[in-house]
Amino acid sequence: MTRRPAFWLWAAACLLGVWIAFRGIGAGVAAFPAGAIIGFALLTPTLLVGVWVLRRLHPVRPRPLGYALIAVAWGGLAAFGLALPANSAFQAILGKTAGPAFSSVWGASIAAPVDEEILKLLGVALLALMAPTAVRGPLDGWGYGALAGLGFQFAENFLYVLNTIVLTGATQDANAAFFSFGSRVVGGAWWSHWAMTAVGGAGLGCLLGRASRTSLAVAAGALLLAMALHSWWDAPVLSGVLMLPVKGAPILLAAVLAYRLARRRYLSHFRRTVHAETAKGVLVPGEGHVLAFRKWRKKERWDVPAGEPRRLLARLRADQLELIEDGLGGLEPDPLAADRLRADIQIVRHRLNSAGDTRVA
C-alpha cells in the first residue's frame, strides 16, 4: 500500500487536516482543557462502538480493521480539517451574492452538504486506489462511506463541545460537555454523517466495483441524495430536540434502504458463485453454508486440532471467500486471480485433510 501514490496523498491530507483543525480549535482546547478532556472521553467510546458495529454489518465477514481505520482517519482528520476553510469560503460567497441575512440562515444547509459530502467520499475513493480489493461494490462503498462519516461525526461533535462551552458562558465546562454529548450523540447520532455518507458511498462503490454508464448514474444520484439529506438536516426547519426523530427519520431510512439493497446484491452474487464453484468441484456440497455464516466458521475451528491444521483451515476459508468476492469486480481486476485461488484451494485442502487425518467439508 505504501508504494501507491494514493497512500501518501491520504497521509498528507490527514496531516494537513490536523494542522488546519488545530489552528481552528487549538485555542479552545487550551482555554477549556477540562471540558475538552471530558468531551473527548465521552465521544471516544461511541466512536469505538460505531467502528465495531459498522465493521460487523458485513453479512459474511468483518471489514479489515486497517481499511476501516483508514476510512475513519480520513473522515475525522482530512475531511473535517479541509471542510473548515471550504465551508467558510462557500458561505462568504453566499453572503456576497445572496446577502448576509440569507447566508446566516441558509448558508450551512447549502455549503456544508456540498463541501463535506464530497470530501468524505474522497476517502472511499482513495481507499480504493490504495487497496483495489477493498471496494468491490455498493456494500463495501456503504461500509467505508459510513466509517468515513463516523470519523467526521466524531471530530465535529468535539468541535460542538467547545462551541457549547463558549455559548454557555465558559463557566460550566463539564455541564456544557455533557449537554453537547446528549444533544449531538444521544439525540442525533442515529442519523448523522455516517448515514449520509453511507448512502453516497454505496453509489460510489457501485461505480468503483464495475464502471458503466448505469453505475455512473447511480453514483451521481447517490451523491446528490446524500447532499439533499445533509441539507435537510442542516436546514432551519423542524427545529428543537423533540423534532430530532422526525427530522432524522428520512436520513436513517435512506441509509437502511441503501444497506439492504447493497446487502441483497452481495448475497445474490455470493449464492450464485457458491453454486458455480460447487459444480466445478472447487467447493464441496454444504461448504457454502459454512462460508456464509461467521458462527459456523467459528464453530468449525474448534473441531480442528490447534496448530497447523487450524491455520490451514483459516487459509482455506480465506481463499474461498476471496474467490467468491473476486467476481464482484474492483478497480484493478486480475483475470488470473480466480484460477490461482482455485489452485491454492485444492492444495490447501489436500494439506489440511492430510494433517492429522483431518477432514473438512
Side-chain angles (χ1 to χ4, degrees):
M1 187 180 293
T2 56
R3 296 179 181 178
R4 292 177 174 266
F7 173 83
W8 298 107
L9 178 59
W10 169 84
C14 287
L15 290 175
L16 178 61
V18 170
W19 180 71
I20 294 174
F22 181 78
R23 289 186 61 191
I25 67 176
V29 173
F32 314 112
I37 292 172
I38 294 172
F40 189 84
L42 289 172
L43 293 171
T44 299
T46 63
L47 175 65
L48 298 177
V49 171
V51 171
W52 182 84
V53 170
L54 290 173
R55 287 183 64 223
R56 300 284 297 184
L57 276 179
H58 193 285
V60 174
R61 56 178 175 174
R63 294 180 176 86
L65 180 60
Y67 295 167
L69 294 180
I70 286 173
V72 171
W74 174 269
L77 302 177
F80 175 75
L82 294 173
L84 294 176
N87 287 339
S88 297
F90 201 145
Q91 293 197 53
I93 294 173
L94 283 176
K96 292 180 179 180
T97 56
F102 177 86
S103 179
S104 64
V105 177
W106 293 97
S109 62
I110 297 174
V114 176
D115 297 334
E116 294 174 7
E117 292 308 320
I118 291 175
L119 285 170
K120 287 182 287 181
L121 279 183
L122 283 176
V124 181
L126 278 178
L127 176 60
L129 291 171
M130 284 189 274
T133 60
V135 184
R136 283 172 157 165
L139 186 63
D140 292 329
W142 189 98
Y144 292 118
L147 286 162
L150 183 69
F152 191 99
Q153 189 173 320
F154 172 85
E156 187 179 73
N157 287 343
F158 183 73
L159 173 62
Y160 271 82
V161 168
L162 300 177
N163 290 343
T164 304
I165 292 173
V166 174
L167 291 174
T168 54
T171 57
Q172 300 289 334
D173 294 11
N175 291 341
F178 280 106
F179 175 80
S180 180
F181 176 82
S183 60
R184 298 283 303 181
V185 176
V186 178
W190 315 103
W191 32 68
S192 190
H193 286 280
W194 73 266
M196 304 165 189
T197 315
V199 173
L204 180 60
C206 189
L207 176 62
L208 295 175
R210 204 174 301 276
S212 65
R213 291 183 178 180
T214 301
S215 61
L216 178 60
V218 170
L223 176 58
L224 291 175
L225 178 57
M227 290 180 178
L229 295 170
H230 195 150
S231 180
W232 162 254
W233 181 250
D234 287 347
V237 297
L238 298 180
S239 303
V241 176
L242 296 179
M243 289 290 102
L244 287 178
V246 177
K247 196 171 184 179
I251 302 172
L252 181 60
L253 180 62
V256 171
L257 181 60
Y259 170 76
R260 296 292 298 179
L261 292 174
R263 183 178 185 272
R264 178 183 296 179
R265 174 175 171 172
Y266 175 89
L267 291 177
S268 177
H269 167 83
F270 191 97
R271 288 189 290 267
R272 288 197 309 270
T273 306
V274 165
H275 179 75
E277 296 300 330
T278 302
K280 293 176 183 177
V282 179
L283 303 180
V284 300
E287 207 166 26
H289 183 76
V290 176
L291 289 169
F293 295 96
R294 284 190 285 261
K295 64 177 182 179
W296 290 114
R297 298 200 302 272
K298 183 177 180 180
K299 180 180 181 297
E300 74 170 352
R301 285 199 296 267
W302 297 107
D303 297 330
V304 175
E308 184 66 11
R310 197 168 290 176
R311 287 192 291 271
L312 287 171
L313 176 62
R315 178 178 167 183
L316 175 66
R317 295 310 185 213
D319 282 348
Q320 290 170 332
L321 290 172
E322 186 66 22
L323 173 63
I324 292 171
E325 294 186 348
D326 179 70
L328 288 169
L331 278 183
E332 299 178 8
D334 183 357
L336 302 179
D339 290 335
R340 286 198 302 268
L341 288 166
R342 291 187 185 104
D344 196 54
I345 287 169
Q346 297 299 335
I347 293 171
V348 175
R349 190 191 300 279
H350 176 73
R351 291 174 57 190
L352 178 59
N353 289 335
S354 300
D357 196 31
T358 302
R359 293 290 182 268
V360 176

